[in-house]
Amino acid sequence: MTATEGTPARTRLVSGPGMVLVWFYGVMVVGAVSRSVYQMATEFGRAPLAYTLSAVAGVVYGFITYSLVRGGATARRAARICCAAELAGVLAVGTWTLVEPSAFPDATVWSDYGAGYVFIPVLLPLSALYWLRTSRGTTGTAEQ
């Protein structure tokens, strides 16, 4: 069935800058999830809050990656909401780690605004929100 036969086409963002975002989010999924799984399995009692927050970050990154690849109006809306939540999390946890460092015996992905990840955790949602806003669903290829 084609888009002209009644099924609306989804616009994929996996071309140009959208592909760069998908790649970075994919890398962050692998980094955050693998780090948190290892830390939770080997030393969870040391810093449960930090390791749990890193796992949450990995899940958020995964959902955003999926939404960007999926495309379509609903997926774009979900990606925008998740990117805004991600940015709020990075800012909240980043500030928390600076104000009360004793609350985090070990770093999270979002500690110090993502300093351990070259500030990608704070730059990525800003970039994604900008891309989602400026692309307006007109860039990419239509899916059947």
Side-chain angles (χ1 to χ4, degrees):
M1 176 182 266
T2 65
T4 57
E5 294 175 3
T7 303
R10 280 193 291 251
T11 303
R12 291 183 176 242
L13 297 177
V14 290
S15 63
M19 184 57 144
V20 174
L21 285 172
V22 167
W23 186 85
F24 269 107
Y25 270 112
V27 168
M28 292 304 291
V29 169
V30 172
V33 170
S34 61
R35 173 184 178 166
S36 65
V37 166
Y38 174 78
Q39 289 173 321
M40 291 172 99
T42 61
E43 52 193 2
F44 185 72
R46 181 169 163 235
L49 178 60
Y51 304 150
T52 302
L53 286 172
S54 288
V56 168
V59 170
V60 170
Y61 293 144
F63 187 78
I64 293 169
T65 304
Y66 171 77
S67 297
L68 291 173
V69 170
R70 180 161 173 81
T74 302
R76 290 174 61 80
R77 201 168 21 261
R80 275 195 298 272
I81 291 167
C82 284
C83 286
E86 173 196 356
L87 181 58
V90 171
L91 295 176
V93 172
T95 301
W96 191 3
T97 57
L98 294 176
V99 171
E100 187 61 42
S102 63
F104 296 91
D106 202 355
T108 74
V109 174
W110 294 342
S111 292
D112 303 323
Y113 307 108
Y117 287 81
V118 197
F119 297 101
I120 291 171
V122 76
L123 297 173
L124 200 53
L126 291 170
S127 301
L129 286 168
Y130 176 77
W131 171 248
L132 287 164
R133 180 176 167 87
T134 59
S135 68
R136 301 267 188 224
T138 59
T139 305
T141 60
E143 178 184 295
Q144 291 190 41

